[in-house]
């Protein structure tokens, strides 16, 4: 991940797309671990729920697994996370996923992200206002 400098109080994080081979290896490793943990009977059901068939809302794409939602399709998408402080002390967390083709030849900075975000070419977008960090981004905000 890379933190992109902004001209204001926002935090902007870019998680670049992983290579296809790396993403496929990560997926296969996870599948094997699921089978080891859950056994032959529960393994296929757990695999389906986590990766293949879980749809968290009626607006989700069919076949989008929970782990795919949390991990931007195992690195198959470029993910941006914008954290904006709000006047009431809470924060707005915006997570946007883009196909890699939309970032080809672009130097990613705040201005290019704003242009990309306003284009509507994202594959997914979620905004939540909260006083606590959403699970989806909490691991990104921990100090190294």
């Amino acid at each position: 991940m890379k933190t992109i400098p902004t001209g204001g109080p926002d935090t902007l994080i870019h998680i670049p797309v992983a290579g296809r081979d790396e993403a496929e290896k990560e997926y296969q490793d996870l599948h094997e671990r699921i089978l080891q943990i859950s056994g032959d009977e529960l393994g296929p059901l757990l695999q389906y729920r986590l990766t293949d068939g879980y749809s968290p809302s009626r607006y989700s794409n069919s076949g989008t697994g929970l782990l795919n939602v949390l991990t931007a399709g195992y690195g198959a998408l470029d993910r941006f996370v914008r954290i904006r402080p709000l006047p009431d002390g809470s924060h707005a967390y915006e997570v946007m996923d883009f196909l890699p083709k939309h970032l080809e030849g672009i130097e990613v900075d705040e201005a290019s992200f704003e242009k990309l975000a306003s284009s509507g070419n994202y594959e997914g977008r979620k905004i939540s206002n909260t006083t606590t960090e959403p699970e989806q981004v909490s691991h990104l905000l921990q100090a190294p």
Side-chain angles (χ1 to χ4, degrees):
M1 75 173 224
K2 175 183 173 188
T3 301
I4 299 170
T6 65
D10 295 0
T11 299
L12 183 59
I13 299 169
H14 176 217
I15 304 161
V17 65
R20 286 181 188 248
D21 292 342
E22 183 179 336
E24 181 63 25
K25 182 181 181 319
E26 194 175 313
Y27 180 87
Q28 293 302 327
D29 289 347
L30 177 66
H31 178 69
E32 289 173 23
R33 280 185 269 156
I34 287 172
L35 290 176
Q36 289 171 354
I37 293 167
S38 58
D40 293 337
E41 287 186 32
L42 291 178
L45 178 62
L46 191 56
Q47 175 73 21
Y48 179 79
R49 180 155 173 87
L50 292 177
T51 61
D52 301 328
Y54 178 68
S55 183
S57 79
R58 64 189 173 103
Y59 300 108
S60 297
N61 293 330
S62 174
T64 301
L66 180 61
L67 289 176
N68 290 351
V69 171
L70 294 175
T71 62
Y74 292 92
L77 301 171
D78 277 276
R79 173 164 281 179
F80 288 89
V81 178
R82 179 173 27 199
I83 305 163
R84 183 173 285 161
L86 300 174
D88 67 357
S90 65
H91 289 81
Y93 294 87
E94 180 177 21
V95 180
M96 299 180 80
D97 295 327
F98 295 89
L99 290 171
K101 69 180 182 180
H102 295 297
L103 280 88
E104 288 177 3
I106 295 176
E107 178 64 34
V108 179
D109 58 16
E110 184 180 23
S112 63
F113 167 75
E114 292 298 339
K115 185 176 178 182
L116 190 61
S118 65
S119 73
N121 285 328
Y122 46 83
E123 294 301 303
R125 180 178 183 213
K126 180 176 178 156
I127 300 173
S128 58
N129 296 344
T130 180
T131 55
T132 59
E133 296 168 356
E135 270 187 65
Q136 192 175 24
V137 298
S138 62
H139 64 288
L140 300 174
L141 305 175
Q142 296 173 4

